[in-house]
Amino acid sequence: MPIINRIAEFHPEMTAWRRDLHQHPEIGFEEVRTSGVIAEKLRGFGCDEVATGMARTGVVATIRGSGAGGEGRAIGLRADIDALPIHEETGLPHASVNPGRMHACGHDGHTAMLLGAAKYLSETRNFSGTVHLIFQPAEENGGGGRVMVEEGLFQRFPVERVFGLHNWPGAPEGEFIWREGRIMAAVANLEIRITGKGAHGAMPHLGNDPVVVAAHIVTALQSIVARNIEPAEAG
């Protein structure tokens, strides 16, 4: 796909943003520095409005186009901003300085990309209607998107639809991958507690080994997808 020359000029700057974010990762609902950096840059770009504090550390910016005929129409562009509770061992010059915190899922890249879009759209405004840029906290198991919605995200910033993306290492450079319907996976947490009864190793019949029970449960769980979902469907 063709690259807009003006955006290509942002490349060194966007790389610096991403590396700074990568070096200072923060996990869900703790993205205080991250949201501060985002809000400062958005204000510097000249966005019409920059709202902070949604879902504690979320940021939403508004940019209005200069084109005619777009009154009342709006879309959202969304990126996630949180890191993972993982200790980084890459040895990179811009590796995490926060022990036990790492941008291992690429949200630093997502944030940098949306900041780049914000800079370009604020500078050119060559569109009709309004764009709301949504920087969501706590995507990793924290439900930050749900919290933003519950706090009135779309009442304050109504949109016709929201566009987001996720990096995919290994995909051909310069290509976007999509399809109708669901794409990418979601996480659902399930906790099962197994209580056993201990016994001497020479008298296993007097106990109830929870390890064997757990092994059977793991095996049986596989059949939920294998025997209940059409093979052509994702599960």
Side-chain angles (χ1 to χ4, degrees), residues 67-191:
E71 293 80 4
R73 302 199 67 181
I75 64 166
L77 302 178
R78 173 263 186 196
D80 34 21
I81 67 174
D82 57 323
L84 284 161
I86 295 174
H87 183 70
E88 181 165 4
E89 298 180 348
T90 63
L92 293 169
H94 54 277
S96 170
V97 298
N98 297 337
R101 304 285 188 269
M102 179 185 177
H103 271 296
C105 199
H107 296 182
D108 50 340
H110 299 169
T111 301
M113 284 188 281
L114 191 53
L115 286 172
K119 180 173 181 175
Y120 179 77
L121 293 172
S122 294
E123 182 180 279
T124 60
R125 298 183 183 264
N126 187 26
F127 61 93
S128 300
T130 301
V131 176
H132 298 298
L133 302 110
I134 304 164
F135 295 84
Q136 177 205 314
E139 188 272 343
E140 301 286 357
N141 300 325
R146 181 186 67 250
V147 177
M148 292 187 85
V149 171
E150 291 171 348
E151 291 185 2
L153 171 65
F154 295 123
Q155 283 71 47
R156 291 180 62 183
F157 308 98
V159 297
E160 294 181 14
R161 61 180 61 191
V162 178
F163 297 89
L165 57 79
H166 201 291
N167 70 86
W168 190 262
E173 183 176 351
E175 292 187 10
F176 287 88
I177 301 171
W178 74 90
R179 71 174 185 186
E180 293 291 333
R182 298 179 180 88
I183 188 169
M184 310 295 286
V187 173
N189 295 319
L190 174 67
E191 182 176 315

